[in-house]
Amino acid sequence: MSGVFYLAFRHIAYHRLRSTTLVLVMTTLMAIPLLAEVLSRAAETRMMARAQATPLVYGAAGAPLDLTLAAAYFRGDIETPISMQDYDWLLATRQADLAPIHLAGAARGFPIIGTDIEYFRLRGLTPAVGRLPVRVGEVAIGAQVADALGITAGQEIVSDVSQVFDLAGAYPVGMTVSGVLAPTGTPDDNAVLTDLKTGWIVTGIGHGHQELTAQTDNALLLKSREDGTLTANASLPTYEKISAEQLADIHFHGDPAVFPLSAVIAFPFDEKATALLRGRVSDREAPVQIVRASDQIRGLMDNVFQVKLVLQRVMLVVSAAALLAIALIVWLSVQMRSQEFAIAQRLGAGRTLPALLVGGELLILFATALLLSLLIVWGTSLFEDRLGLFWFGR
């Protein structure tokens, strides 16, 4: 039998191109279903873990899934915000720990999230380098943000300008990185976390202006009185960086009670508190909603798996066609080797030799393809944390 496998191996080695093609086709047919299963299961595990760690999400009435994805995964946007009045109302219920969420744009493509110190405690976020932000203008960046941008505590990160030609929009804001969070394998690894005031400054609700003096460019002045009072026009630049010296000059426009929030994540104290809080929200006449994140993500994953089932059926048809093509190649190979097999039989080889040789070749090719498929899946599993960016990415 070892002689048969030797002859089969030598034949495979001689026809390198054909053998390589067959191995690649077999590897693809085996690796794609395995990878699809591994990645889909990894996605489900990660998505559901985050959803279960986000008990309730409170926000404006609308699509509950969009609200969940924005508040828990920092994906998408919320067109209709709630306000600080809603947050104060939730605090007054005394049914849950609360973490406000304000989606404040992005910095180098990574979402800027305005929140408060409770968010770090409730999420179990701790700094691996530096410390948590404690004053306006400071941010804590996720581990993936630090790796991607190559920055650490003490350096600066600047917010993006979403509408370059919007002259009335917010200026880019430079913020100091106070710390780098320890990796958690969650969307927090890809976020820039700061306090609410900094988030409002980034979105243009609050800002500071350069000091007006006698030396200020006249193009920036609306009028100058004889008593020395200077009035700036709208072209006066806002601060590009929030420093400790500038904090006293930063001011906000409007009533703080109606400053916007994207959502509020609620962590009820127990099941009774959960039921009471949901009941009180449903009794409110305001256009708001409170949703259970796990229910929304479970529904999303069910839809994903329905799509995966359709793709599996398509893959089954493709696999059948590929197997027929492989069978055709093998049959043509046998026909081309008929004279070789006839000579072998005249030399005393058994009638089963052709079947043994072809079977040995197919076994070697199949084993090689299976090994490559398992190596691909194993290599994918090694980078599972990195692949999490596919689901929670920028």
Side-chain angles (χ1 to χ4, degrees):
M1 185 61 69
S2 60
V4 171
F5 278 106
Y6 176 77
L7 291 175
F9 177 78
R10 295 305 302 171
H11 187 266
I12 290 173
Y14 183 77
H15 297 280
R16 296 182 183 88
L17 182 59
R18 185 185 65 187
S19 301
T20 301
T21 302
L22 288 174
V23 168
L24 290 177
V25 171
M26 291 180 180
T27 301
T28 301
L29 293 178
M30 289 185 282
I32 289 180
L34 290 174
L35 283 175
E37 187 66 22
V38 169
L39 292 177
S40 62
R41 292 300 175 186
E44 181 185 22
T45 300
R46 285 176 173 270
M47 294 285 285
M48 288 307 302
R50 182 68 168 185
Q52 290 165 359
T54 309
L56 297 175
V57 181
Y58 176 95
L65 179 58
D66 291 345
L67 175 64
T68 301
L69 291 176
Y73 303 90
F74 314 142
R75 304 300 300 270
D77 199 2
I78 296 177
E79 295 183 0
T80 306
I82 54 176
S83 69
M84 287 298 293
Q85 289 178 332
D86 293 282
Y87 178 67
D88 293 336
W89 179 86
L90 286 171
L91 281 176
T93 64
R94 299 174 182 263
Q95 300 295 333
D97 290 324
L98 303 175
I101 299 294
H102 177 56
L103 305 180
R108 304 279 295 276
F110 292 96
I112 300 174
I113 309 301
T115 184
D116 62 19
I117 201 67
E118 278 294 287
Y119 182 86
F120 297 93
R121 181 183 68 84
L122 295 170
R123 289 292 195 201
L125 302 177
T126 56
V129 179
R131 56 173 174 78
L132 297 178
V134 295
R135 68 184 183 192
V136 176
E138 291 185 339
V139 300
I141 60 176
Q144 296 292 350
V145 179
D147 289 343
L149 303 183
I151 59 178
T152 187
Q155 295 181 301
E156 181 181 311
I157 188 169
V158 181
S159 63
D160 300 336
V161 179
S162 58
Q163 297 180 359
V164 178
F165 301 105
D166 182 8
L167 300 180
Y171 286 80
V173 177
M175 299 162 286
T176 302
V177 177
S178 65
V180 178
L181 300 174
T184 60
T186 68
D188 298 310
D189 290 347
N190 305 299
V192 177
L193 298 166
T194 185
D195 66 303
L196 289 173
K197 287 186 177 180
T198 304
W200 290 328
I201 291 172
V202 171
T203 52
I205 297 175
H207 58 252
H209 295 287
Q210 74 176 49
E211 183 180 357
L212 298 178
T213 66
Q215 286 73 40
T216 300
D217 187 351
N218 289 331
L220 303 178
L221 298 177
L222 181 63
K223 60 182 177 179
S224 176
R225 297 180 180 177
E226 294 182 357
D227 61 2
T229 302
L230 303 176
T231 303
N233 60 34
S235 64
L236 183 67
T238 59
Y239 289 135
E240 293 185 355
K241 180 179 179 181
I242 305 174
S243 66
E245 295 77 15
Q246 298 164 341
L247 293 181
D249 297 328
I250 292 176
H251 57 278
F252 295 86
H253 298 283
D255 182 3
V258 297
F259 282 179
L261 292 177
S262 300
V264 178
I265 300 176
F267 297 79
F269 302 130
D270 50 37
E271 285 299 322
K272 180 180 178 181
T274 300
L276 288 173
L277 185 58
R278 299 188 74 179
R280 291 188 180 185
V281 172
S282 64
D283 290 340
R284 292 195 73 187
E285 295 181 357
V288 293
Q289 63 178 329
I290 188 166
V291 300
R292 194 185 295 270
S294 58
D295 293 343
Q296 299 304 315
I297 300 303
R298 171 52 61 192
L300 173 63
M301 297 311 298
D302 288 343
N303 291 333
V304 169
F305 283 116
Q306 289 295 326
V307 174
K308 188 185 78 168
L309 182 61
V310 173
L311 293 178
Q312 285 176 338
R313 291 173 179 172
V314 173
M315 188 63 193
L316 183 62
V317 175
V318 174
S319 299
L323 290 175
L324 288 175
I326 292 174
L328 177 61
I329 293 173
V330 172
W331 182 80
L332 291 175
S333 176
V334 171
Q335 295 301 311
M336 292 174 62
R337 298 174 65 185
S338 58
Q339 187 176 0
E340 172 190 339
F341 294 147
I343 293 173
Q345 289 179 0
R346 292 193 189 100
L347 293 175
R351 293 182 177 274
T352 60
L353 180 63
L356 290 175
L357 285 175
V358 174
E361 291 176 15
L362 290 176
L363 184 60
I364 292 173
L365 294 175
F366 177 81
T368 303
L370 179 60
L371 179 61
L372 288 175
S373 301
L374 294 177
L375 286 174
I376 291 172
V377 174
W378 176 73
T380 302
S381 65
L382 290 181
F383 294 95
E384 183 178 346
D385 290 339
R386 296 283 183 180
L387 288 172
L389 291 173
F390 179 78
W391 309 106
F392 299 139
R394 300 163 64 175

